Amino acid sequence: MKHLAYLIALAPGAALAQGWGNVAQQTEEKGFSWTDPLWPSFWMAWTPVTFALFCFIFGAIAVIAVLEITKYRDGIERTGVFGLTTTLGDRLFITLLGSAYIFLAWLGLVGQPLWAPLGASIVWGIFCFWKV
């Protein structure tokens, strides 16, 4: 009988300690956020934007690799406005490197929003694949 009294006395405290006191409380859904991590317990904070960026970069590399393998076996080498002899992969690398510099310079000099450097990077990419 004595042990039963102890169990009855400790039961509410143990239930609250395990979080059972919050069962009936509703949590509010925040909805989608571009800055929240996709996988909170992962070692790297993959946000939807960083995930999309890396998917785009690897997708572009894959498209250029398929083009180099199937359509342009010898590569499309040409000498552009900078005097460099470049292939498709070289032009992609120059585009990505230039875009990174455009964004870093914009963030250092102006700050946010980043729509203007995005447009400048797209123009830079078109220029690189057209003239470089």
Side-chain angles (χ1 to χ4, degrees):
M1 192 67 165
K2 184 178 176 182
H3 297 294
L4 185 60
Y6 284 136
L7 286 176
I8 292 172
L10 292 177
L16 289 175
Q18 293 176 357
W20 287 101
N22 299 327
V23 170
Q25 294 178 354
Q26 297 290 327
T27 58
E28 292 184 28
E29 291 187 25
K30 290 185 348 180
F32 181 76
S33 173
W34 286 101
T35 56
D36 285 343
L38 290 173
W39 304 284
S41 61
F42 195 60
W43 67 273
M44 183 175 171
W46 283 96
T47 64
V49 177
T50 56
F51 185 72
L53 176 71
F54 277 89
C55 286
F56 173 76
I57 290 172
F58 290 127
I61 292 170
V63 166
I64 287 180
V66 168
L67 285 175
E68 290 276 347
I69 291 171
T70 59
K71 191 171 181 180
Y72 307 109
R73 287 207 171 260
D74 298 331
I76 305 174
E77 289 188 358
R78 67 173 178 217
T79 304
V81 294
F82 295 139
L84 301 170
T85 303
T86 59
T87 62
L88 286 174
D90 298 331
R91 285 180 281 243
L92 176 66
F93 179 75
I94 292 169
T95 299
L96 293 174
L97 195 63
S99 296
Y101 287 136
I102 289 169
F103 273 97
L104 287 174
W106 184 272
L107 281 172
L109 297 174
V110 178
Q112 290 186 353
L114 298 176
W115 294 110
L118 177 65
S121 295
I122 291 171
V123 170
W124 170 249
I126 293 168
F127 172 76
C128 282
F129 275 93
W130 181 36
K131 290 288 186 181
V132 174

